Amino acid sequence: MMSAKLSHAYELLYKAVCAQENRVITAVWELLGHPTLFVDQYFHVVSMYPGGPTGDSEWDEISRNKFINQDKIYRTLDEFLSGKEAFYQPFFADTGSCAQSPKLFAEVVQDGKVQGHVIVFWEGAPPDQEDFAIVSMAVDAIKLRISSRIRSMGSWNLALSTKLEDLLAPHTPPHLEDLACDAISRTMPPEYTVCVATIGALASQRAFAEYAVFELQQLYRNVICLIYDNAIVTLYGGAGRHGSGAPMKETVMADRLFKFFEEHDMVCGLSDSFSDPRQLRQYYRQALLTARLALKTGNADSTTFSDLMPLPIFLSVLEKDTPETFIHPIIFKMREYDKTYGTAYDETMRAFSFNMHNKDKTAAALCIHRNTLLYRLSRISDIFGLPYEDNKVAVNLLCSYLILELGQFGDPQEMGQLTSDERR
């Protein structure tokens, strides 16, 4: 027959699961009388009670930082587990690294994946069987809240990476998309920015990516990070509107992400900022195209979508057509003429186009006298009959040179190739 204590625990935890706000951890504290916290798979605090200092130095540090030092956790797991377990059963640790601050540990496993850990800071006599049973019931309650996808989960952000994936996936049902938007907007403030670093398909590359995701989650509390379609995708909030202050790449978080990936010999691309989580997929594509372009152009530094515009537009265009389809024919004639007579008309027109017809800047870029530039432009007009000052012709030439610049770094069709799902 169930004891009165366990019967009360069932009742209290059931009410906690059904509550509009998360109260599972609060219920555990009420039942056991010990400070309790729940952390996600990256040891970031999801919920803790009491929320403030208790006088325990370790608890107070966690309360301030909102995450647990992963080295301490792994040291404890190594001390009390054999290392062979895929997942661990609830256990009590009061020796070794936990001698000064005993703890009861329980792991939350859902669908074959570790979703988080319940940790009870224990004082006094060791826990008995009923205490272990209550913690196991709390784990079941947490799993129920996760699987039920309650709309009013508030800051219960255990499945944020799953919700990010829901917004990235092309065929997510509308009701799950609504839940994902609600959870993300509650957890982090706009403006949002997407950072993408592409990875290879080798097992070793994916293993490193898993480590990078874990490390990012440890370093920064205001990011959601996962591996999606052979890329590390990171969403962060509070970026500030692009253009209303520092440039996007000079914001603090952008700088930190750039440095992180550069230290790991990876190049990342950064999207523009946006305010509606429903726009996440299109800005993910911005960041993905930016990362691909940065790699293909041999850019050693990470960069932003705005820095590379309008090249990403041409990258999309070249998915189905060859560059030659869009190049002004005069450019090929100038190149043949230069090859035959040793002139530099194509180089001159390219610099003239890229400098928006500013003659002083063009002459400086080519390291020639302004009169020399004027002579060359006159000869181009005479030899090829090119009305380069005509607005439409000028735009055509500029676009042509941009496409050629993109094409010289590899096969544009291969570089820009996206699956039909990605084009949604």
Side-chain angles (χ1 to χ4, degrees):
M1 184 175 179
M2 184 181 298
S3 69
K5 183 177 180 179
L6 290 182
S7 179
H8 177 57
Y10 268 113
E11 179 183 358
L12 194 60
L13 287 168
Y14 174 76
K15 291 179 179 178
V17 170
C18 297
Q20 289 299 307
E21 296 181 359
N22 168 52
R23 287 187 52 82
V24 174
I25 296 305
T26 306
V28 175
W29 180 84
E30 293 177 7
L31 290 163
L32 299 179
H34 300 291
T36 305
L37 61 85
F38 175 52
V39 296
D40 64 15
Q41 64 269 48
Y42 303 109
F43 303 107
H44 287 198
V45 173
V46 176
S47 179
M48 63 189 305
Y49 197 90
T54 64
D56 183 299
S57 60
E58 185 177 359
W59 176 273
D60 294 349
E61 181 183 0
I62 295 170
S63 178
R64 287 193 302 272
N65 298 329
K66 303 303 180 186
F67 69 89
I68 298 180
N69 184 292
Q70 57 179 310
D71 292 333
K72 291 183 180 180
I73 293 293
Y74 285 131
R75 186 162 64 248
T76 301
L77 297 181
D78 288 342
E79 289 173 0
F80 288 87
L81 303 177
S82 67
K84 298 179 181 178
E85 302 92 339
F87 309 109
Y88 67 81
Q89 297 299 313
F91 69 91
F92 180 63
D94 61 350
T95 60
S97 60
C98 292
Q100 299 300 318
S101 181
K103 301 177 185 67
L104 195 160
F105 291 83
E107 190 172 41
V108 180
V109 179
Q110 184 106 329
D111 299 326
K113 295 181 180 179
V114 176
Q115 303 286 2
H117 307 264
V118 175
I119 304 174
V120 183
F121 281 61
W122 207 271
E123 295 179 358
D128 56 28
Q129 288 185 337
E130 287 190 335
D131 294 328
F132 276 98
I134 289 172
V135 172
S136 295
M137 291 161 57
V139 168
D140 291 338
I142 290 170
K143 290 161 65 175
L144 184 59
R145 281 190 67 90
I146 295 171
S147 61
S148 64
R149 293 177 177 266
I150 299 174
R151 176 181 287 275
S152 57
M153 288 172 69
S155 61
W156 186 265
N157 60 0
L158 170 66
L160 280 178
S161 60
T162 301
K163 290 173 173 56
L164 175 59
E165 188 169 13
D166 285 343
L167 292 177
L168 290 171
H171 302 301
T172 300
H175 71 285
L176 291 185
E177 190 174 81
D178 288 343
L179 286 173
C181 290
D182 182 64
I184 287 175
S185 61
R186 286 173 177 267
T187 304
M188 60 172 58
E191 301 286 319
Y192 307 107
T193 307
V194 181
C195 176
V196 171
T198 57
I199 59 176
L202 296 178
S204 59
Q205 294 169 318
R206 192 167 185 87
F208 173 77
E210 294 280 2
Y211 165 78
V213 168
F214 178 86
E215 191 172 358
L216 279 169
Q217 296 279 18
Q218 285 289 310
L219 287 171
Y220 308 115
R221 286 177 291 157
N222 61 331
V223 305
I224 308 172
C225 191
L226 54 71
I227 296 173
Y228 180 81
D229 197 24
N230 290 329
I232 299 173
V233 182
T234 305
L235 175 71
Y236 67 91
R241 289 189 178 276
H242 185 37
S244 63
M248 178 62 66
K249 63 182 177 182
E250 294 179 11
T251 59
V252 173
M253 195 62 213
D255 183 62
R256 288 173 178 172
L257 288 173
F258 283 171
K259 287 181 179 178
F260 175 87
F261 286 111
E262 286 164 11
E263 286 172 358
H264 292 83
D265 296 322
M266 301 178 74
V267 174
C268 67
L270 205 67
S271 75
D272 290 335
S273 63
F274 57 102
S275 58
D276 186 353
R278 288 174 177 79
Q279 298 174 297
L280 190 144
R281 183 163 181 77
Q282 72 186 68
Y283 286 94
Y284 156 74
R285 178 169 165 78
Q286 278 192 359
L288 177 63
L289 290 174
T290 303
R292 287 177 173 174
L293 279 168
L295 284 171
K296 281 294 184 180
T297 56
N299 191 342
D301 299 322
S302 300
T303 189
T304 68
F305 179 78
S306 297
D307 286 342
L308 292 181
M309 275 292 287
L311 288 181
I313 295 176
F314 300 124
L315 184 63
S316 297
V317 169
L318 296 180
E319 289 175 6
K320 293 184 178 180
D321 292 285
T322 61
E324 289 76 14
T325 305
F326 305 97
I327 307 304
H328 196 296
I330 292 297
I331 291 178
F332 297 117
K333 292 181 179 180
M334 283 193 292
R335 290 187 171 185
E336 286 297 322
Y337 191 94
D338 289 341
K339 188 182 297 184
T340 302
Y341 297 102
T343 51
Y345 294 144
D346 176 60
E347 177 189 18
T348 300
M349 185 52 62
R350 176 182 178 278
F352 190 55
S353 298
F354 281 166
N355 283 283
M356 308 303 292
H357 290 206
N358 184 305
K359 295 180 175 62
D360 291 331
K361 289 183 177 180
T362 302
L366 293 170
C367 299
I368 60 176
H369 194 276
R370 191 176 190 277
N371 289 341
T372 302
L373 171 64
L374 296 177
Y375 171 77
R376 289 184 184 180
L377 292 174
S378 176
R379 292 292 293 160
I380 290 172
S381 179
D382 293 340
I383 296 172
F384 305 103
L386 181 65
Y388 56 81
E389 292 291 6
D390 180 86
N391 287 340
K392 288 187 177 180
V393 174
V395 171
N396 193 334
L397 288 170
L398 176 59
C399 290
S400 297
Y401 281 116
L402 286 169
I403 291 173
L404 287 169
E405 179 144 308
L406 182 62
Q408 70 178 312
F409 298 107
D411 183 350
Q413 289 178 279
E414 178 183 343
M415 178 166 47
Q417 190 64 42
L418 299 172
T419 66
S420 58
D421 283 346
E422 282 184 306
R423 295 194 194 101
R424 177 179 179 263

